[in-house]
Coordinates of all heavy atoms in Angstrom, one line a residue:
A138 N 121.9 200.6 9.9 CA 122.2 199.5 10.6 C 123.6 199.0 10.3 O 124.4 198.6 11.2 CB 121.2 198.4 10.4
A139 N 124.0 199.0 9.0 CA 125.3 198.6 8.6 C 126.4 199.5 9.1 O 127.4 199.0 9.6 CB 125.3 198.5 7.1
L140 N 126.1 200.8 9.1 CA 127.1 201.7 9.6 C 127.3 201.6 11.1 O 128.4 201.6 11.6 CB 126.7 203.1 9.3 CG 126.7 203.5 7.8 CD1 126.1 204.9 7.6 CD2 128.2 203.6 7.4
L141 N 126.2 201.4 11.9 CA 126.3 201.2 13.3 C 127.1 200.0 13.7 O 127.9 200.0 14.6 CB 124.9 201.2 13.9 CG 124.2 202.6 14.0 CD1 122.8 202.4 14.5 CD2 124.9 203.6 14.8
K142 N 126.9 198.9 12.9 CA 127.6 197.7 13.2 C 129.1 197.9 12.9 O 129.9 197.4 13.7 CB 127.1 196.6 12.3 CG 127.7 195.2 12.5 CD 127.2 194.1 11.6 CE 127.9 192.8 11.8 NZ 127.4 191.7 10.9
Q143 N 129.4 198.5 11.8 CA 130.8 198.8 11.5 C 131.5 199.7 12.5 O 132.6 199.5 12.9 CB 130.9 199.5 10.1 CG 132.3 199.6 9.6 CD 132.3 200.2 8.2 OE1 131.3 200.8 7.8 NE2 133.4 199.9 7.4
A144 N 130.7 200.7 13.0 CA 131.3 201.6 14.0 C 131.5 200.8 15.3 O 132.5 201.1 16.0 CB 130.3 202.7 14.3
E145 N 130.6 199.9 15.7 CA 130.8 199.2 16.9 C 132.0 198.2 16.8 O 132.8 198.1 17.8 CB 129.5 198.3 17.2 CG 129.7 197.4 18.4 CD 129.9 198.2 19.7 OE1 129.6 199.4 19.8 OE2 130.4 197.6 20.7
E146 N 132.2 197.6 15.7 CA 133.4 196.8 15.5 C 134.7 197.6 15.6 O 135.6 197.1 16.2 CB 133.3 196.1 14.1 CG 132.1 195.0 14.0 CD 132.0 194.5 12.6 OE1 132.7 195.0 11.7 OE2 131.3 193.5 12.5
T147 N 134.6 198.7 15.0 CA 135.9 199.6 15.0 C 136.1 200.1 16.4 O 137.2 200.1 16.9 CB 135.7 200.8 14.1 OG1 135.4 200.4 12.8 CG2 136.9 201.8 14.2
R148 N 135.0 200.4 17.2 CA 135.1 200.9 18.5 C 135.8 199.8 19.4 O 136.7 200.1 20.2 CB 133.7 201.2 19.1 CG 133.8 201.8 20.5 CD 132.4 202.2 21.0 NE 131.6 201.0 21.4 CZ 131.6 200.5 22.6 NH1 132.4 201.0 23.5 NH2 130.9 199.4 22.9
Q149 N 135.4 198.6 19.2 CA 135.9 197.5 20.1 C 137.4 197.2 19.7 O 138.2 197.0 20.6 CB 135.1 196.2 19.8 CG 133.7 196.2 20.4 CD 133.7 196.4 21.9 OE1 134.6 196.0 22.6 NE2 132.6 197.1 22.4
Q150 N 137.7 197.3 18.4 CA 139.1 197.1 18.0 C 140.0 198.2 18.6 O 141.1 197.9 19.2 CB 139.2 197.1 16.5 CG 138.6 195.9 15.9 CD 138.5 196.0 14.4 OE1 139.0 197.0 13.8 NE2 138.0 195.0 13.7
L151 N 139.6 199.4 18.5 CA 140.4 200.6 19.0 C 140.5 200.5 20.5 O 141.5 200.9 21.1 CB 139.7 201.9 18.6 CG 139.8 202.2 17.1 CD1 139.0 203.4 16.7 CD2 141.3 202.4 16.6
K152 N 139.4 200.1 21.2 CA 139.5 200.0 22.6 C 140.5 199.0 23.1 O 141.3 199.3 24.0 CB 138.1 199.6 23.2 CG 138.0 199.5 24.7 CD 136.6 199.1 25.2 CE 136.6 199.1 26.7 NZ 135.2 198.8 27.2
Q153 N 140.6 197.9 22.4 CA 141.6 196.8 22.8 C 143.0 197.4 22.6 O 143.9 197.1 23.4 CB 141.4 195.6 22.0 CG 140.1 194.8 22.4 CD 140.1 194.4 23.9 OE1 141.1 194.0 24.4 NE2 139.0 194.7 24.5
Q154 N 143.2 198.1 21.5 CA 144.5 198.7 21.2 C 144.9 199.7 22.2 O 146.0 199.9 22.6 CB 144.5 199.3 19.8 CG 144.3 198.3 18.7 CD 144.1 198.9 17.3 OE1 144.3 200.1 17.2 NE2 143.9 198.1 16.3
T155 N 143.9 200.5 22.7 CA 144.1 201.6 23.6 C 144.5 201.1 25.0 O 145.3 201.7 25.7 CB 142.9 202.4 23.7 OG1 142.5 202.9 22.4 CG2 143.1 203.7 24.6
I156 N 144.0 200.0 25.4 CA 144.2 199.5 26.8 C 145.7 199.3 27.0 O 146.2 199.5 28.1 CB 143.5 198.1 27.0 CG1 142.0 198.3 27.0 CG2 144.0 197.4 28.3 CD1 141.2 197.1 27.1
G157 N 146.5 199.0 26.0 CA 147.9 198.8 26.1 C 148.7 200.0 26.4 O 149.8 200.0 26.8
I158 N 148.1 201.2 26.2 CA 148.8 202.5 26.4 C 149.1 202.7 27.9 O 150.1 203.2 28.3 CB 148.0 203.6 25.9 CG1 147.9 203.6 24.3 CG2 148.6 205.0 26.3 CD1 147.1 204.6 23.7
G159 N 148.1 202.3 28.8 CA 148.3 202.4 30.2 C 147.2 203.3 30.8 O 147.2 204.5 30.6
S160 N 146.3 202.7 31.5 CA 145.1 203.4 32.0 C 145.4 204.3 33.1 O 144.5 205.1 33.5 CB 144.0 202.3 32.5 OG 144.6 201.5 33.5
K161 N 146.5 204.3 33.7 CA 146.9 205.2 34.8 C 147.2 206.6 34.3 O 147.1 207.5 35.1 CB 148.0 204.6 35.6 CG 147.7 203.4 36.4 CD 148.9 202.9 37.3 CE 148.6 201.7 38.0 NZ 149.7 201.3 38.9
D162 N 147.6 206.7 33.1 CA 147.9 208.0 32.5 C 146.6 208.8 32.2 O 145.6 208.3 31.7 CB 148.7 207.9 31.3 CG 149.3 209.2 30.8 OD1 148.5 209.9 30.1 OD2 150.4 209.6 31.1
Q163 N 146.6 210.1 32.6 CA 145.5 210.9 32.3 C 145.0 210.9 30.8 O 143.9 210.9 30.5 CB 145.7 212.4 32.8 CG 144.5 213.3 32.6 CD 144.8 214.6 33.2 OE1 145.6 214.8 34.0 NE2 144.0 215.6 32.8
G164 N 146.1 211.0 30.0 CA 145.7 211.0 28.5 C 145.1 209.7 28.1 O 144.1 209.7 27.3
A165 N 145.6 208.6 28.7 CA 145.0 207.3 28.3 C 143.6 207.2 28.8 O 142.7 206.6 28.2 CB 145.9 206.2 28.9
R166 N 143.3 207.8 30.0 CA 142.0 207.7 30.5 C 141.0 208.6 29.6 O 139.9 208.2 29.4 CB 141.9 208.3 32.0 CG 142.7 207.4 33.0 CD 142.2 207.7 34.4 NE 142.4 209.2 34.7 CZ 143.5 209.7 35.2 NH1 144.6 208.9 35.4 NH2 143.6 210.9 35.5

């Protein structure tokens, strides 16, 4: 449970950072 919670927090952080790259680019998608 602790690992899954930590993974979800990391996933959300990385997702927000990734949005700035530009969703129109194939690599970003």
